[in-house]
Amino acid sequence: MSHPRNPHALLTPAMRTLLARMAQANPVPLHAMAPEQAKAAYASRADVLELPSQAMARAEDLRIPARDGHLLDAKLLVPTAAALPVLVYFHGGGFTVGSVATHEILCRRLAHLTGCAVLSLDYRLAPEFKFPTAHNDCWDAVQWLVRHGAEHGLDVDRVAVGGDSAGGTIATACAVQARDAGIELALQLLFYPGTIGHQNSASHRMFGRGFLLEDVAIDYFFGHYLRNPADRDDWRFAPLDGLRPDGQSVDFSGVAPTWIGLAECDPLADEGIAYADALRIAGVAVDLEIYRGVVHEFIKMGRALPQAAQAHADAARALRRAFQLEAQ
C-alpha cells in the first residue's frame, strides 16, 4: 500500500477529530503503566465508543480445559434457539490486555448481524503467561468446541475462527493447525491481524506514532509476551514470516477461506495486505476490505465512526456466506 508524505491527511474528519479529543484528554498511555494497571485501564475505556449492545437468546458462561488442566473462562453468545454455526473469537490487546468482557459488545453484534453463535475466549495473558500460552489456549478451545460444541446446541460442522489484532494473529495460526488436524473451518475472520515477527513494514514507519496504536505500545506488549527474541520468528507468533519447527515457512495451501478487514491508517495495515497476498498465492479464497481514513481498533468506535458499523456488516456478510445461512 502506497503512503503519502503527510499520513494525517488520510484521516477522515471524524477520525481526526476523535484523535484530537483523545490527545486533549491526555490519558496515561498503557505502555507507561504496570501490566495490571494497563489491563484495568483498557477495560475501563473499552466500551466508551461502542454501539449499543444486542440482546441474545442465550448467554452462557463456560469453562474450557486447557492442555495443562487450567480452566479457561469463555462466553457463548447465541442469538436464537436454533442449532447454529459458531464463530470462535479471540480478542485483541497485544496478548497483554483485553478480555471477553472488553469485546462482548462486538461479539454480540457479530452474533446478531450474522445469526450465528459466538464463543469468546479469555485466553491467558502476559506477563504472567508468556508465549505460546495464548496460542495454545486458543487452539485447545477450538479443539474442545469441535468435540463438545454439540452438547451446547451448536452445529460443529460449521465453525469459523476470528479475532482482532493479536487475536487475529492467534486465529491465523489456529487456522493452519486446523488444516493440519483435518478440521475443516468455514472461515478465518480477521480484523487487522498481526502477521509478521518484526515491525519493520512501511505502514509501521508511517503510522507508528500519532495514530492510536504506536510502536512503543507494540514493543511494550510484545516485551511482556515473548520469552526471548527467537520467539519473534516462531510461526505461531508470526504466521506470515515465521518458521515452523522443521525450519520451513508456513504453507498456507488448504487453510480456510479468509475475510480480512484492515484500517488504512494502522501500523499493521501492510502485514495484513501481505498476508492476504500470501493466501491468494496459496490458492486460498480471500476477501480483503480496507477501511479508509481510520485507525487500529476502529471496529470498537461505532458511536463516532460509521466505518465500524460497515465493517461489522461486511464481516457478518462473509460469515453468513461461509456458513451458508442465506443465498448470496
PDB file of all heavy atoms in Angstrom, residues 81-101:
ATOM      1  N   ALA A  81     -32.777 -19.728  19.196  1.00  0.00           N
ATOM      2  CA  ALA A  81     -32.855 -21.032  19.851  1.00  0.00           C
ATOM      3  C   ALA A  81     -32.407 -22.176  18.951  1.00  0.00           C
ATOM      4  O   ALA A  81     -32.279 -23.306  19.409  1.00  0.00           O
ATOM      5  CB  ALA A  81     -34.291 -21.283  20.316  1.00  0.00           C
ATOM      6  N   ALA A  82     -32.167 -21.912  17.671  1.00  0.00           N
ATOM      7  CA  ALA A  82     -31.802 -22.983  16.737  1.00  0.00           C
ATOM      8  C   ALA A  82     -30.377 -23.472  16.982  1.00  0.00           C
ATOM      9  O   ALA A  82     -29.578 -22.809  17.642  1.00  0.00           O
ATOM     10  CB  ALA A  82     -31.939 -22.474  15.306  1.00  0.00           C
ATOM     11  N   ALA A  83     -30.051 -24.662  16.437  1.00  0.00           N
ATOM     12  CA  ALA A  83     -28.669 -25.154  16.447  1.00  0.00           C
ATOM     13  C   ALA A  83     -27.886 -24.366  15.407  1.00  0.00           C
ATOM     14  O   ALA A  83     -28.150 -24.474  14.209  1.00  0.00           O
ATOM     15  CB  ALA A  83     -28.631 -26.646  16.146  1.00  0.00           C
ATOM     16  N   LEU A  84     -26.957 -23.571  15.852  1.00  0.00           N
ATOM     17  CA  LEU A  84     -26.312 -22.595  14.973  1.00  0.00           C
ATOM     18  C   LEU A  84     -24.844 -22.918  14.740  1.00  0.00           C
ATOM     19  O   LEU A  84     -24.174 -23.499  15.591  1.00  0.00           O
ATOM     20  CB  LEU A  84     -26.408 -21.202  15.602  1.00  0.00           C
ATOM     21  CG  LEU A  84     -27.807 -20.617  15.787  1.00  0.00           C
ATOM     22  CD1 LEU A  84     -27.716 -19.267  16.484  1.00  0.00           C
ATOM     23  CD2 LEU A  84     -28.519 -20.487  14.451  1.00  0.00           C
ATOM     24  N   PRO A  85     -24.328 -22.482  13.587  1.00  0.00           N
ATOM     25  CA  PRO A  85     -22.875 -22.493  13.410  1.00  0.00           C
ATOM     26  C   PRO A  85     -22.237 -21.516  14.385  1.00  0.00           C
ATOM     27  O   PRO A  85     -22.918 -20.653  14.957  1.00  0.00           O
ATOM     28  CB  PRO A  85     -22.696 -22.037  11.954  1.00  0.00           C
ATOM     29  CG  PRO A  85     -23.926 -21.267  11.637  1.00  0.00           C
ATOM     30  CD  PRO A  85     -25.033 -21.903  12.434  1.00  0.00           C
ATOM     31  N   VAL A  86     -20.925 -21.630  14.552  1.00  0.00           N
ATOM     32  CA  VAL A  86     -20.280 -20.851  15.616  1.00  0.00           C
ATOM     33  C   VAL A  86     -18.960 -20.247  15.152  1.00  0.00           C
ATOM     34  O   VAL A  86     -18.163 -20.898  14.475  1.00  0.00           O
ATOM     35  CB  VAL A  86     -20.081 -21.725  16.882  1.00  0.00           C
ATOM     36  CG1 VAL A  86     -19.253 -22.954  16.583  1.00  0.00           C
ATOM     37  CG2 VAL A  86     -19.455 -20.921  18.011  1.00  0.00           C
ATOM     38  N   LEU A  87     -18.773 -18.992  15.533  1.00  0.00           N
ATOM     39  CA  LEU A  87     -17.502 -18.286  15.380  1.00  0.00           C
ATOM     40  C   LEU A  87     -16.773 -18.334  16.709  1.00  0.00           C
ATOM     41  O   LEU A  87     -17.308 -17.883  17.731  1.00  0.00           O
ATOM     42  CB  LEU A  87     -17.755 -16.827  14.980  1.00  0.00           C
ATOM     43  CG  LEU A  87     -16.564 -15.879  15.080  1.00  0.00           C
ATOM     44  CD1 LEU A  87     -15.486 -16.213  14.055  1.00  0.00           C
ATOM     45  CD2 LEU A  87     -17.031 -14.422  14.918  1.00  0.00           C
ATOM     46  N   VAL A  88     -15.557 -18.881  16.718  1.00  0.00           N
ATOM     47  CA  VAL A  88     -14.703 -18.835  17.906  1.00  0.00           C
ATOM     48  C   VAL A  88     -13.883 -17.564  17.804  1.00  0.00           C
ATOM     49  O   VAL A  88     -13.104 -17.396  16.862  1.00  0.00           O
ATOM     50  CB  VAL A  88     -13.783 -20.062  18.002  1.00  0.00           C
ATOM     51  CG1 VAL A  88     -13.054 -20.062  19.342  1.00  0.00           C
ATOM     52  CG2 VAL A  88     -14.567 -21.348  17.824  1.00  0.00           C
ATOM     53  N   TYR A  89     -14.076 -16.652  18.776  1.00  0.00           N
ATOM     54  CA  TYR A  89     -13.484 -15.315  18.674  1.00  0.00           C
ATOM     55  C   TYR A  89     -12.420 -15.102  19.739  1.00  0.00           C
ATOM     56  O   TYR A  89     -12.638 -15.381  20.922  1.00  0.00           O
ATOM     57  CB  TYR A  89     -14.561 -14.231  18.809  1.00  0.00           C
ATOM     58  CG  TYR A  89     -14.051 -12.883  18.350  1.00  0.00           C
ATOM     59  CD1 TYR A  89     -14.127 -12.528  17.014  1.00  0.00           C
ATOM     60  CD2 TYR A  89     -13.466 -11.991  19.247  1.00  0.00           C
ATOM     61  CE1 TYR A  89     -13.636 -11.309  16.571  1.00  0.00           C
ATOM     62  CE2 TYR A  89     -12.969 -10.777  18.801  1.00  0.00           C
ATOM     63  CZ  TYR A  89     -13.052 -10.434  17.468  1.00  0.00           C
ATOM     64  OH  TYR A  89     -12.543  -9.233  17.032  1.00  0.00           O
ATOM     65  N   PHE A  90     -11.270 -14.556  19.281  1.00  0.00           N
ATOM     66  CA  PHE A  90     -10.149 -14.253  20.160  1.00  0.00           C
ATOM     67  C   PHE A  90      -9.935 -12.738  20.184  1.00  0.00           C
ATOM     68  O   PHE A  90      -9.663 -12.121  19.147  1.00  0.00           O
ATOM     69  CB  PHE A  90      -8.880 -14.958  19.678  1.00  0.00           C
ATOM     70  CG  PHE A  90      -9.075 -16.430  19.407  1.00  0.00           C
ATOM     71  CD1 PHE A  90      -8.736 -16.977  18.178  1.00  0.00           C
ATOM     72  CD2 PHE A  90      -9.618 -17.262  20.374  1.00  0.00           C
ATOM     73  CE1 PHE A  90      -8.923 -18.327  17.918  1.00  0.00           C
ATOM     74  CE2 PHE A  90      -9.810 -18.613  20.132  1.00  0.00           C
ATOM     75  CZ  PHE A  90      -9.457 -19.149  18.893  1.00  0.00           C
ATOM     76  N   HIS A  91     -10.073 -12.146  21.353  1.00  0.00           N
ATOM     77  CA  HIS A  91      -9.987 -10.695  21.482  1.00  0.00           C
ATOM     78  C   HIS A  91      -8.574 -10.175  21.238  1.00  0.00           C
ATOM     79  O   HIS A  91      -7.582 -10.890  21.396  1.00  0.00           O
ATOM     80  CB  HIS A  91     -10.468 -10.250  22.862  1.00  0.00           C
ATOM     81  CG  HIS A  91      -9.571 -10.695  23.987  1.00  0.00           C
ATOM     82  ND1 HIS A  91      -8.398 -10.043  24.308  1.00  0.00           N
ATOM     83  CD2 HIS A  91      -9.664 -11.729  24.870  1.00  0.00           C
ATOM     84  CE1 HIS A  91      -7.808 -10.636  25.324  1.00  0.00           C
ATOM     85  NE2 HIS A  91      -8.559 -11.680  25.683  1.00  0.00           N
ATOM     86  N   GLY A  92      -8.481  -8.903  20.884  1.00  0.00           N
ATOM     87  CA  GLY A  92      -7.198  -8.233  20.758  1.00  0.00           C
ATOM     88  C   GLY A  92      -6.715  -7.678  22.081  1.00  0.00           C
ATOM     89  O   GLY A  92      -7.383  -7.790  23.112  1.00  0.00           O
ATOM     90  N   GLY A  93      -5.537  -7.055  22.043  1.00  0.00           N
ATOM     91  CA  GLY A  93      -4.961  -6.465  23.243  1.00  0.00           C
ATOM     92  C   GLY A  93      -3.486  -6.784  23.422  1.00  0.00           C
ATOM     93  O   GLY A  93      -2.975  -6.739  24.550  1.00  0.00           O
ATOM     94  N   GLY A  94      -2.799  -7.081  22.322  1.00  0.00           N
ATOM     95  CA  GLY A  94      -1.359  -7.287  22.399  1.00  0.00           C
ATOM     96  C   GLY A  94      -0.934  -8.449  23.280  1.00  0.00           C
ATOM     97  O   GLY A  94       0.164  -8.423  23.837  1.00  0.00           O
ATOM     98  N   PHE A  95      -1.804  -9.438  23.443  1.00  0.00           N
ATOM     99  CA  PHE A  95      -1.526 -10.606  24.286  1.00  0.00           C
ATOM    100  C   PHE A  95      -1.376 -10.240  25.765  1.00  0.00           C
ATOM    101  O   PHE A  95      -1.012 -11.088  26.574  1.00  0.00           O
ATOM    102  CB  PHE A  95      -0.252 -11.347  23.833  1.00  0.00           C
ATOM    103  CG  PHE A  95      -0.198 -11.674  22.378  1.00  0.00           C
ATOM    104  CD1 PHE A  95       0.522 -10.874  21.498  1.00  0.00           C
ATOM    105  CD2 PHE A  95      -0.871 -12.771  21.885  1.00  0.00           C
ATOM    106  CE1 PHE A  95       0.574 -11.175  20.154  1.00  0.00           C
ATOM    107  CE2 PHE A  95      -0.826 -13.089  20.531  1.00  0.00           C
ATOM    108  CZ  PHE A  95      -0.090 -12.280  19.662  1.00  0.00           C
ATOM    109  N   THR A  96      -1.677  -8.990  26.111  1.00  0.00           N
ATOM    110  CA  THR A  96      -1.402  -8.470  27.459  1.00  0.00           C
ATOM    111  C   THR A  96      -2.635  -7.868  28.125  1.00  0.00           C
ATOM    112  O   THR A  96      -2.800  -7.978  29.338  1.00  0.00           O
ATOM    113  CB  THR A  96      -0.284  -7.411  27.395  1.00  0.00           C
ATOM    114  OG1 THR A  96       0.854  -7.959  26.726  1.00  0.00           O
ATOM    115  CG2 THR A  96       0.127  -6.930  28.777  1.00  0.00           C
ATOM    116  N   VAL A  97      -3.494  -7.207  27.351  1.00  0.00           N
ATOM    117  CA  VAL A  97      -4.726  -6.617  27.882  1.00  0.00           C
ATOM    118  C   VAL A  97      -5.900  -7.167  27.090  1.00  0.00           C
ATOM    119  O   VAL A  97      -5.733  -7.883  26.102  1.00  0.00           O
ATOM    120  CB  VAL A  97      -4.699  -5.077  27.818  1.00  0.00           C
ATOM    121  CG1 VAL A  97      -3.492  -4.524  28.569  1.00  0.00           C
ATOM    122  CG2 VAL A  97      -4.693  -4.576  26.368  1.00  0.00           C
ATOM    123  N   GLY A  98      -7.108  -6.815  27.518  1.00  0.00           N
ATOM    124  CA  GLY A  98      -8.314  -7.276  26.840  1.00  0.00           C
ATOM    125  C   GLY A  98      -8.883  -8.523  27.482  1.00  0.00           C
ATOM    126  O   GLY A  98      -8.217  -9.218  28.257  1.00  0.00           O
ATOM    127  N   SER A  99     -10.141  -8.803  27.156  1.00  0.00           N
ATOM    128  CA  SER A  99     -10.848  -9.928  27.777  1.00  0.00           C
ATOM    129  C   SER A  99     -12.138 -10.189  27.025  1.00  0.00           C
ATOM    130  O   SER A  99     -12.526  -9.434  26.114  1.00  0.00           O
ATOM    131  CB  SER A  99     -11.174  -9.606  29.239  1.00  0.00           C
ATOM    132  OG  SER A  99     -12.122  -8.540  29.308  1.00  0.00           O
ATOM    133  N   VAL A 100     -12.829 -11.237  27.428  1.00  0.00           N
ATOM    134  CA  VAL A 100     -14.178 -11.471  26.927  1.00  0.00           C
ATOM    135  C   VAL A 100     -15.051 -10.247  27.185  1.00  0.00           C
ATOM    136  O   VAL A 100     -15.832  -9.811  26.323  1.00  0.00           O
ATOM    137  CB  VAL A 100     -14.782 -12.721  27.598  1.00  0.00           C
ATOM    138  CG1 VAL A 100     -16.287 -12.783  27.389  1.00  0.00           C
ATOM    139  CG2 VAL A 100     -14.130 -13.989  27.057  1.00  0.00           C
ATOM    140  N   ALA A 101     -14.922  -9.650  28.355  1.00  0.00           N
ATOM    141  CA  ALA A 101     -15.773  -8.509  28.719  1.00  0.00           C
ATOM    142  C   ALA A 101     -15.504  -7.294  27.838  1.00  0.00           C
ATOM    143  O   ALA A 101     -16.439  -6.588  27.436  1.00  0.00           O
ATOM    144  CB  ALA A 101     -15.558  -8.152  30.186  1.00  0.00           C
TER     145      ALA A 101
END
